[in-house]
PDB file of all heavy atoms in Angstrom:
ATOM      1  N   ARG A   1     100.582-103.240  95.219  1.00  0.00           N
ATOM      2  CA  ARG A   1     101.174-103.303  93.888  1.00  0.00           C
ATOM      3  C   ARG A   1     100.687-102.110  93.080  1.00  0.00           C
ATOM      4  O   ARG A   1      99.598-101.563  93.286  1.00  0.00           O
ATOM      5  CB  ARG A   1     100.778-104.603  93.188  1.00  0.00           C
ATOM      6  CG  ARG A   1     101.460-105.843  93.794  1.00  0.00           C
ATOM      7  CD  ARG A   1     102.943-105.841  93.517  1.00  0.00           C
ATOM      8  NE  ARG A   1     103.611-107.013  94.048  1.00  0.00           N
ATOM      9  CZ  ARG A   1     104.202-107.062  95.223  1.00  0.00           C
ATOM     10  NH1 ARG A   1     104.196-105.996  96.013  1.00  0.00           N
ATOM     11  NH2 ARG A   1     104.802-108.157  95.636  1.00  0.00           N
ATOM     12  N   GLY A   2     101.488-101.734  92.085  1.00  0.00           N
ATOM     13  CA  GLY A   2     101.132-100.597  91.258  1.00  0.00           C
ATOM     14  C   GLY A   2     100.348-101.017  90.037  1.00  0.00           C
ATOM     15  O   GLY A   2      99.859-102.152  89.938  1.00  0.00           O
ATOM     16  N   ILE A   3     100.240-100.108  89.089  1.00  0.00           N
ATOM     17  CA  ILE A   3      99.560-100.390  87.829  1.00  0.00           C
ATOM     18  C   ILE A   3     100.601-100.343  86.720  1.00  0.00           C
ATOM     19  O   ILE A   3     101.640 -99.713  86.844  1.00  0.00           O
ATOM     20  CB  ILE A   3      98.445 -99.371  87.554  1.00  0.00           C
ATOM     21  CG1 ILE A   3      99.027 -97.960  87.498  1.00  0.00           C
ATOM     22  CG2 ILE A   3      97.364 -99.474  88.611  1.00  0.00           C
ATOM     23  CD1 ILE A   3      98.001 -96.921  87.076  1.00  0.00           C
ATOM     24  N   ARG A   4     100.274-101.000  85.623  1.00  0.00           N
ATOM     25  CA  ARG A   4     101.193-101.003  84.492  1.00  0.00           C
ATOM     26  C   ARG A   4     101.101 -99.640  83.804  1.00  0.00           C
ATOM     27  O   ARG A   4     100.043 -99.251  83.324  1.00  0.00           O
ATOM     28  CB  ARG A   4     100.819-102.114  83.514  1.00  0.00           C
ATOM     29  CG  ARG A   4     101.836-102.357  82.411  1.00  0.00           C
ATOM     30  CD  ARG A   4     101.491-103.639  81.664  1.00  0.00           C
ATOM     31  NE  ARG A   4     102.493-104.002  80.699  1.00  0.00           N
ATOM     32  CZ  ARG A   4     102.497-103.632  79.427  1.00  0.00           C
ATOM     33  NH1 ARG A   4     101.498-102.856  79.001  1.00  0.00           N
ATOM     34  NH2 ARG A   4     103.431-103.987  78.599  1.00  0.00           N
ATOM     35  N   ARG A   5     102.219 -98.946  83.760  1.00  0.00           N
ATOM     36  CA  ARG A   5     102.228 -97.602  83.216  1.00  0.00           C
ATOM     37  C   ARG A   5     102.291 -97.601  81.677  1.00  0.00           C
ATOM     38  O   ARG A   5     102.636 -98.611  81.052  1.00  0.00           O
ATOM     39  CB  ARG A   5     103.449 -96.829  83.747  1.00  0.00           C
ATOM     40  CG  ARG A   5     103.623 -96.897  85.258  1.00  0.00           C
ATOM     41  CD  ARG A   5     102.489 -96.239  85.996  1.00  0.00           C
ATOM     42  NE  ARG A   5     102.649 -96.325  87.439  1.00  0.00           N
ATOM     43  CZ  ARG A   5     103.385 -95.503  88.162  1.00  0.00           C
ATOM     44  NH1 ARG A   5     104.020 -94.503  87.585  1.00  0.00           N
ATOM     45  NH2 ARG A   5     103.493 -95.679  89.457  1.00  0.00           N
ATOM     46  N   GLY A   6     101.987 -96.447  81.101  1.00  0.00           N
ATOM     47  CA  GLY A   6     102.067 -96.307  79.640  1.00  0.00           C
ATOM     48  C   GLY A   6     103.482 -96.079  79.146  1.00  0.00           C
ATOM     49  O   GLY A   6     103.726 -95.965  77.941  1.00  0.00           O
ATOM     50  N   PHE A   7     104.437 -96.036  80.071  1.00  0.00           N
ATOM     51  CA  PHE A   7     105.845 -95.895  79.715  1.00  0.00           C
ATOM     52  C   PHE A   7     106.616 -96.975  80.442  1.00  0.00           C
ATOM     53  O   PHE A   7     106.123 -97.630  81.358  1.00  0.00           O
ATOM     54  CB  PHE A   7     106.367 -94.509  80.116  1.00  0.00           C
ATOM     55  CG  PHE A   7     106.243 -94.215  81.594  1.00  0.00           C
ATOM     56  CD1 PHE A   7     107.229 -94.561  82.487  1.00  0.00           C
ATOM     57  CD2 PHE A   7     105.085 -93.595  82.092  1.00  0.00           C
ATOM     58  CE1 PHE A   7     107.099 -94.307  83.846  1.00  0.00           C
ATOM     59  CE2 PHE A   7     104.947 -93.331  83.431  1.00  0.00           C
ATOM     60  CZ  PHE A   7     105.961 -93.698  84.313  1.00  0.00           C
ATOM     61  N   GLU A   8     107.852 -97.181  80.017  1.00  0.00           N
ATOM     62  CA  GLU A   8     108.701 -98.187  80.617  1.00  0.00           C
ATOM     63  C   GLU A   8     110.144 -97.653  80.716  1.00  0.00           C
ATOM     64  O   GLU A   8     110.514 -96.708  80.029  1.00  0.00           O
ATOM     65  CB  GLU A   8     108.680 -99.481  79.799  1.00  0.00           C
ATOM     66  CG  GLU A   8     109.233 -99.305  78.379  1.00  0.00           C
ATOM     67  CD  GLU A   8     109.160-100.599  77.587  1.00  0.00           C
ATOM     68  OE1 GLU A   8     109.203-101.667  78.201  1.00  0.00           O
ATOM     69  OE2 GLU A   8     109.073-100.523  76.342  1.00  0.00           O
ATOM     70  N   LEU A   9     110.907 -98.273  81.569  1.00  0.00           N
ATOM     71  CA  LEU A   9     112.325 -97.954  81.725  1.00  0.00           C
ATOM     72  C   LEU A   9     113.083 -98.996  80.958  1.00  0.00           C
ATOM     73  O   LEU A   9     113.067-100.192  81.278  1.00  0.00           O
ATOM     74  CB  LEU A   9     112.717 -97.957  83.203  1.00  0.00           C
ATOM     75  CG  LEU A   9     114.104 -97.431  83.566  1.00  0.00           C
ATOM     76  CD1 LEU A   9     114.317 -96.032  83.020  1.00  0.00           C
ATOM     77  CD2 LEU A   9     114.302 -97.454  85.079  1.00  0.00           C
ATOM     78  N   ARG A  10     113.745 -98.553  79.874  1.00  0.00           N
ATOM     79  CA  ARG A  10     114.381 -99.510  78.977  1.00  0.00           C
ATOM     80  C   ARG A  10     115.876 -99.268  78.900  1.00  0.00           C
ATOM     81  O   ARG A  10     116.339 -98.117  78.921  1.00  0.00           O
ATOM     82  CB  ARG A  10     113.758 -99.339  77.588  1.00  0.00           C
ATOM     83  CG  ARG A  10     114.131-100.425  76.566  1.00  0.00           C
ATOM     84  CD  ARG A  10     113.577-100.083  75.193  1.00  0.00           C
ATOM     85  NE  ARG A  10     112.148 -99.808  75.208  1.00  0.00           N
ATOM     86  CZ  ARG A  10     111.507 -99.254  74.179  1.00  0.00           C
ATOM     87  NH1 ARG A  10     112.180 -98.939  73.077  1.00  0.00           N
ATOM     88  NH2 ARG A  10     110.214 -99.022  74.258  1.00  0.00           N
ATOM     89  N   GLU A  11     116.657-100.353  78.820  1.00  0.00           N
ATOM     90  CA  GLU A  11     118.099-100.242  78.679  1.00  0.00           C
ATOM     91  C   GLU A  11     118.428-100.206  77.197  1.00  0.00           C
ATOM     92  O   GLU A  11     118.158-101.137  76.446  1.00  0.00           O
ATOM     93  CB  GLU A  11     118.809-101.435  79.341  1.00  0.00           C
ATOM     94  CG  GLU A  11     120.327-101.289  79.370  1.00  0.00           C
ATOM     95  CD  GLU A  11     121.011-102.395  80.139  1.00  0.00           C
ATOM     96  OE1 GLU A  11     120.377-103.444  80.358  1.00  0.00           O
ATOM     97  OE2 GLU A  11     122.176-102.224  80.535  1.00  0.00           O
ATOM     98  N   VAL A  12     119.054 -99.099  76.788  1.00  0.00           N
ATOM     99  CA  VAL A  12     119.417 -98.896  75.381  1.00  0.00           C
ATOM    100  C   VAL A  12     120.806 -98.305  75.307  1.00  0.00           C
ATOM    101  O   VAL A  12     121.119 -97.320  75.997  1.00  0.00           O
ATOM    102  CB  VAL A  12     118.418 -97.936  74.700  1.00  0.00           C
ATOM    103  CG1 VAL A  12     118.842 -97.666  73.255  1.00  0.00           C
ATOM    104  CG2 VAL A  12     117.014 -98.489  74.725  1.00  0.00           C
ATOM    105  N   GLY A  13     121.651 -98.886  74.469  1.00  0.00           N
ATOM    106  CA  GLY A  13     122.991 -98.339  74.283  1.00  0.00           C
ATOM    107  C   GLY A  13     123.804 -98.260  75.553  1.00  0.00           C
ATOM    108  O   GLY A  13     124.589 -97.332  75.747  1.00  0.00           O
ATOM    109  N   GLY A  14     123.640 -99.227  76.435  1.00  0.00           N
ATOM    110  CA  GLY A  14     124.416 -99.248  77.663  1.00  0.00           C
ATOM    111  C   GLY A  14     123.916 -98.333  78.748  1.00  0.00           C
ATOM    112  O   GLY A  14     124.601 -98.120  79.753  1.00  0.00           O
ATOM    113  N   GLY A  15     122.714 -97.764  78.563  1.00  0.00           N
ATOM    114  CA  GLY A  15     122.164 -96.869  79.572  1.00  0.00           C
ATOM    115  C   GLY A  15     120.672 -97.046  79.703  1.00  0.00           C
ATOM    116  O   GLY A  15     120.046 -97.811  78.952  1.00  0.00           O
ATOM    117  N   TRP A  16     120.084 -96.332  80.656  1.00  0.00           N
ATOM    118  CA  TRP A  16     118.653 -96.452  80.938  1.00  0.00           C
ATOM    119  C   TRP A  16     117.928 -95.159  80.569  1.00  0.00           C
ATOM    120  O   TRP A  16     118.431 -94.077  80.802  1.00  0.00           O
ATOM    121  CB  TRP A  16     118.432 -96.752  82.415  1.00  0.00           C
ATOM    122  CG  TRP A  16     118.960 -98.106  82.796  1.00  0.00           C
ATOM    123  CD1 TRP A  16     120.193 -98.393  83.268  1.00  0.00           C
ATOM    124  CD2 TRP A  16     118.263 -99.355  82.693  1.00  0.00           C
ATOM    125  NE1 TRP A  16     120.337 -99.731  83.479  1.00  0.00           N
ATOM    126  CE2 TRP A  16     119.149-100.361  83.129  1.00  0.00           C
ATOM    127  CE3 TRP A  16     116.982 -99.704  82.273  1.00  0.00           C
ATOM    128  CZ2 TRP A  16     118.805-101.695  83.169  1.00  0.00           C
ATOM    129  CZ3 TRP A  16     116.632-101.058  82.314  1.00  0.00           C
ATOM    130  CH2 TRP A  16     117.537-102.027  82.754  1.00  0.00           C
ATOM    131  N   ARG A  17     116.707 -95.338  80.003  1.00  0.00           N
ATOM    132  CA  ARG A  17     115.938 -94.180  79.563  1.00  0.00           C
ATOM    133  C   ARG A  17     114.449 -94.537  79.521  1.00  0.00           C
ATOM    134  O   ARG A  17     114.097 -95.698  79.295  1.00  0.00           O
ATOM    135  CB  ARG A  17     116.408 -93.746  78.178  1.00  0.00           C
ATOM    136  CG  ARG A  17     115.797 -92.453  77.666  1.00  0.00           C
ATOM    137  CD  ARG A  17     116.230 -92.187  76.257  1.00  0.00           C
ATOM    138  NE  ARG A  17     115.685 -90.938  75.734  1.00  0.00           N
ATOM    139  CZ  ARG A  17     115.660 -90.628  74.437  1.00  0.00           C
ATOM    140  NH1 ARG A  17     116.136 -91.477  73.559  1.00  0.00           N
ATOM    141  NH2 ARG A  17     115.161 -89.486  74.043  1.00  0.00           N
ATOM    142  N   PHE A  18     113.579 -93.533  79.726  1.00  0.00           N
ATOM    143  CA  PHE A  18     112.149 -93.757  79.642  1.00  0.00           C
ATOM    144  C   PHE A  18     111.715 -93.817  78.178  1.00  0.00           C
ATOM    145  O   PHE A  18     112.171 -93.005  77.348  1.00  0.00           O
ATOM    146  CB  PHE A  18     111.383 -92.622  80.316  1.00  0.00           C
ATOM    147  CG  PHE A  18     111.411 -92.703  81.822  1.00  0.00           C
ATOM    148  CD1 PHE A  18     111.864 -91.637  82.571  1.00  0.00           C
ATOM    149  CD2 PHE A  18     110.972 -93.832  82.488  1.00  0.00           C
ATOM    150  CE1 PHE A  18     111.892 -91.704  83.957  1.00  0.00           C
ATOM    151  CE2 PHE A  18     111.005 -93.920  83.858  1.00  0.00           C
ATOM    152  CZ  PHE A  18     111.452 -92.846  84.598  1.00  0.00           C
ATOM    153  N   TYR A  19     110.802 -94.736  77.864  1.00  0.00           N
ATOM    154  CA  TYR A  19     110.222 -94.872  76.531  1.00  0.00           C
ATOM    155  C   TYR A  19     108.733 -95.140  76.663  1.00  0.00           C
ATOM    156  O   TYR A  19     108.291 -95.751  77.628  1.00  0.00           O
ATOM    157  CB  TYR A  19     110.865 -96.021  75.760  1.00  0.00           C
ATOM    158  CG  TYR A  19     112.243 -95.733  75.211  1.00  0.00           C
ATOM    159  CD1 TYR A  19     113.371 -95.957  75.978  1.00  0.00           C
ATOM    160  CD2 TYR A  19     112.421 -95.214  73.932  1.00  0.00           C
ATOM    161  CE1 TYR A  19     114.635 -95.698  75.493  1.00  0.00           C
ATOM    162  CE2 TYR A  19     113.676 -94.951  73.433  1.00  0.00           C
ATOM    163  CZ  TYR A  19     114.780 -95.181  74.219  1.00  0.00           C
ATOM    164  OH  TYR A  19     116.031 -94.914  73.724  1.00  0.00           O
ATOM    165  N   VAL A  20     107.976 -94.675  75.675  1.00  0.00           N
ATOM    166  CA  VAL A  20     106.553 -95.019  75.603  1.00  0.00           C
ATOM    167  C   VAL A  20     106.468 -96.513  75.288  1.00  0.00           C
ATOM    168  O   VAL A  20     107.238 -97.043  74.478  1.00  0.00           O
ATOM    169  CB  VAL A  20     105.859 -94.213  74.498  1.00  0.00           C
ATOM    170  CG1 VAL A  20     104.440 -94.690  74.299  1.00  0.00           C
ATOM    171  CG2 VAL A  20     105.876 -92.727  74.857  1.00  0.00           C
ATOM    172  N   ARG A  21     105.537 -97.205  75.906  1.00  0.00           N
ATOM    173  CA  ARG A  21     105.371 -98.630  75.601  1.00  0.00           C
ATOM    174  C   ARG A  21     104.942 -98.806  74.147  1.00  0.00           C
ATOM    175  O   ARG A  21     104.230 -97.967  73.589  1.00  0.00           O
ATOM    176  CB  ARG A  21     104.337 -99.252  76.535  1.00  0.00           C
ATOM    177  CG  ARG A  21     104.832 -99.379  77.966  1.00  0.00           C
ATOM    178  CD  ARG A  21     103.950-100.294  78.795  1.00  0.00           C
ATOM    179  NE  ARG A  21     104.376-100.275  80.176  1.00  0.00           N
ATOM    180  CZ  ARG A  21     105.369-101.034  80.670  1.00  0.00           C
ATOM    181  NH1 ARG A  21     105.986-101.888  79.859  1.00  0.00           N
ATOM    182  NH2 ARG A  21     105.712-100.964  81.937  1.00  0.00           N
ATOM    183  N   ALA A  22     105.371 -99.911  73.559  1.00  0.00           N
ATOM    184  CA  ALA A  22     105.185-100.138  72.127  1.00  0.00           C
ATOM    185  C   ALA A  22     103.717-100.045  71.704  1.00  0.00           C
ATOM    186  O   ALA A  22     103.412 -99.500  70.629  1.00  0.00           O
ATOM    187  CB  ALA A  22     105.740-101.519  71.758  1.00  0.00           C
ATOM    188  N   GLU A  23     102.805-100.524  72.557  1.00  0.00           N
ATOM    189  CA  GLU A  23     101.396-100.522  72.163  1.00  0.00           C
ATOM    190  C   GLU A  23     100.803 -99.107  72.079  1.00  0.00           C
ATOM    191  O   GLU A  23      99.715 -98.912  71.552  1.00  0.00           O
ATOM    192  CB  GLU A  23     100.558-101.375  73.113  1.00  0.00           C
ATOM    193  CG  GLU A  23     100.630-100.980  74.553  1.00  0.00           C
ATOM    194  CD  GLU A  23     101.645-101.796  75.339  1.00  0.00           C
ATOM    195  OE1 GLU A  23     102.735-102.050  74.786  1.00  0.00           O
ATOM    196  OE2 GLU A  23     101.363-102.161  76.489  1.00  0.00           O
ATOM    197  N   TYR A  24     101.510 -98.120  72.642  1.00  0.00           N
ATOM    198  CA  TYR A  24     100.993 -96.744  72.617  1.00  0.00           C
ATOM    199  C   TYR A  24     101.752 -95.855  71.623  1.00  0.00           C
ATOM    200  O   TYR A  24     101.459 -94.663  71.529  1.00  0.00           O
ATOM    201  CB  TYR A  24     101.067 -96.125  73.997  1.00  0.00           C
ATOM    202  CG  TYR A  24     100.215 -96.861  75.019  1.00  0.00           C
ATOM    203  CD1 TYR A  24     100.806 -97.646  75.992  1.00  0.00           C
ATOM    204  CD2 TYR A  24      98.837 -96.761  74.990  1.00  0.00           C
ATOM    205  CE1 TYR A  24     100.039 -98.340  76.919  1.00  0.00           C
ATOM    206  CE2 TYR A  24      98.054 -97.434  75.933  1.00  0.00           C
ATOM    207  CZ  TYR A  24      98.675 -98.233  76.886  1.00  0.00           C
ATOM    208  OH  TYR A  24      97.904 -98.907  77.803  1.00  0.00           O
ATOM    209  N   ASP A  25     102.706 -96.434  70.901  1.00  0.00           N
ATOM    210  CA  ASP A  25     103.520 -95.648  69.960  1.00  0.00           C
ATOM    211  C   ASP A  25     102.660 -94.910  68.938  1.00  0.00           C
ATOM    212  O   ASP A  25     102.818 -93.725  68.702  1.00  0.00           O
ATOM    213  CB  ASP A  25     104.526 -96.570  69.241  1.00  0.00           C
ATOM    214  CG  ASP A  25     105.789 -96.761  70.048  1.00  0.00           C
ATOM    215  OD1 ASP A  25     106.014 -95.991  71.014  1.00  0.00           O
ATOM    216  OD2 ASP A  25     106.579 -97.665  69.731  1.00  0.00           O
ATOM    217  N   THR A  26     101.743 -95.639  68.280  1.00  0.00           N
ATOM    218  CA  THR A  26     100.931 -95.034  67.242  1.00  0.00           C
ATOM    219  C   THR A  26     100.054 -93.929  67.796  1.00  0.00           C
ATOM    220  O   THR A  26      99.937 -92.844  67.183  1.00  0.00           O
ATOM    221  CB  THR A  26     100.061 -96.108  66.559  1.00  0.00           C
ATOM    222  OG1 THR A  26     100.907 -97.123  66.009  1.00  0.00           O
ATOM    223  CG2 THR A  26      99.213 -95.501  65.463  1.00  0.00           C
ATOM    224  N   LEU A  27      99.448 -94.178  68.931  1.00  0.00           N
ATOM    225  CA  LEU A  27      98.593 -93.183  69.550  1.00  0.00           C
ATOM    226  C   LEU A  27      99.345 -91.894  69.880  1.00  0.00           C
ATOM    227  O   LEU A  27      98.899 -90.795  69.564  1.00  0.00           O
ATOM    228  CB  LEU A  27      97.989 -93.765  70.849  1.00  0.00           C
ATOM    229  CG  LEU A  27      97.154 -92.797  71.696  1.00  0.00           C
ATOM    230  CD1 LEU A  27      95.876 -92.419  70.976  1.00  0.00           C
ATOM    231  CD2 LEU A  27      96.851 -93.421  73.053  1.00  0.00           C
ATOM    232  N   VAL A  28     100.526 -92.063  70.487  1.00  0.00           N
ATOM    233  CA  VAL A  28     101.324 -90.905  70.872  1.00  0.00           C
ATOM    234  C   VAL A  28     101.829 -90.160  69.640  1.00  0.00           C
ATOM    235  O   VAL A  28     101.822 -88.920  69.597  1.00  0.00           O
ATOM    236  CB  VAL A  28     102.500 -91.329  71.773  1.00  0.00           C
ATOM    237  CG1 VAL A  28     103.453 -90.166  72.016  1.00  0.00           C
ATOM    238  CG2 VAL A  28     101.973 -91.870  73.100  1.00  0.00           C
ATOM    239  N   ALA A  29     102.269 -90.906  68.623  1.00  0.00           N
ATOM    240  CA  ALA A  29     102.765 -90.267  67.398  1.00  0.00           C
ATOM    241  C   ALA A  29     101.656 -89.453  66.735  1.00  0.00           C
ATOM    242  O   ALA A  29     101.906 -88.324  66.286  1.00  0.00           O
ATOM    243  CB  ALA A  29     103.271 -91.352  66.433  1.00  0.00           C
ATOM    244  N   ASP A  30     100.454 -90.017  66.658  1.00  0.00           N
ATOM    245  CA  ASP A  30      99.342 -89.276  66.049  1.00  0.00           C
ATOM    246  C   ASP A  30      99.022 -88.011  66.854  1.00  0.00           C
ATOM    247  O   ASP A  30      98.731 -86.955  66.285  1.00  0.00           O
ATOM    248  CB  ASP A  30      98.107 -90.156  65.974  1.00  0.00           C
ATOM    249  CG  ASP A  30      98.241 -91.266  64.955  1.00  0.00           C
ATOM    250  OD1 ASP A  30      99.144 -91.188  64.114  1.00  0.00           O
ATOM    251  OD2 ASP A  30      97.447 -92.235  65.021  1.00  0.00           O
ATOM    252  N   PHE A  31      99.056 -88.122  68.178  1.00  0.00           N
ATOM    253  CA  PHE A  31      98.766 -86.971  69.020  1.00  0.00           C
ATOM    254  C   PHE A  31      99.789 -85.862  68.803  1.00  0.00           C
ATOM    255  O   PHE A  31      99.443 -84.698  68.659  1.00  0.00           O
ATOM    256  CB  PHE A  31      98.758 -87.400  70.489  1.00  0.00           C
ATOM    257  CG  PHE A  31      98.671 -86.231  71.442  1.00  0.00           C
ATOM    258  CD1 PHE A  31      97.457 -85.595  71.685  1.00  0.00           C
ATOM    259  CD2 PHE A  31      99.804 -85.750  72.082  1.00  0.00           C
ATOM    260  CE1 PHE A  31      97.375 -84.509  72.553  1.00  0.00           C
ATOM    261  CE2 PHE A  31      99.741 -84.666  72.944  1.00  0.00           C
ATOM    262  CZ  PHE A  31      98.518 -84.061  73.192  1.00  0.00           C
ATOM    263  N   VAL A  32     101.057 -86.243  68.779  1.00  0.00           N
ATOM    264  CA  VAL A  32     102.121 -85.267  68.619  1.00  0.00           C
ATOM    265  C   VAL A  32     101.995 -84.558  67.280  1.00  0.00           C
ATOM    266  O   VAL A  32     102.152 -83.328  67.182  1.00  0.00           O
ATOM    267  CB  VAL A  32     103.513 -85.933  68.744  1.00  0.00           C
ATOM    268  CG1 VAL A  32     104.615 -84.957  68.345  1.00  0.00           C
ATOM    269  CG2 VAL A  32     103.737 -86.422  70.173  1.00  0.00           C
TER     270      VAL A  32
END
């Protein structure tokens, strides 16, 4: 089995796309 990644594959607007997991949003935003 793998590990839980910091990103996820999410279905949005009828398609699939990578997104940062919600719990890391603030961290990533501050870093950027």
Side-chain angles (χ1 to χ4, degrees):
R1 290 291 181 265
I3 59 174
R4 189 170 186 269
R5 311 295 179 83
F7 59 89
E8 63 181 333
L9 189 55
R10 191 186 307 168
E11 187 175 19
V12 177
W16 294 92
R17 187 185 181 196
F18 285 124
Y19 284 88
V20 173
R21 290 194 186 276
E23 57 264 40
Y24 298 107
D25 275 345
T26 301
L27 174 68
V28 172
D30 290 344
F31 171 78
V32 171

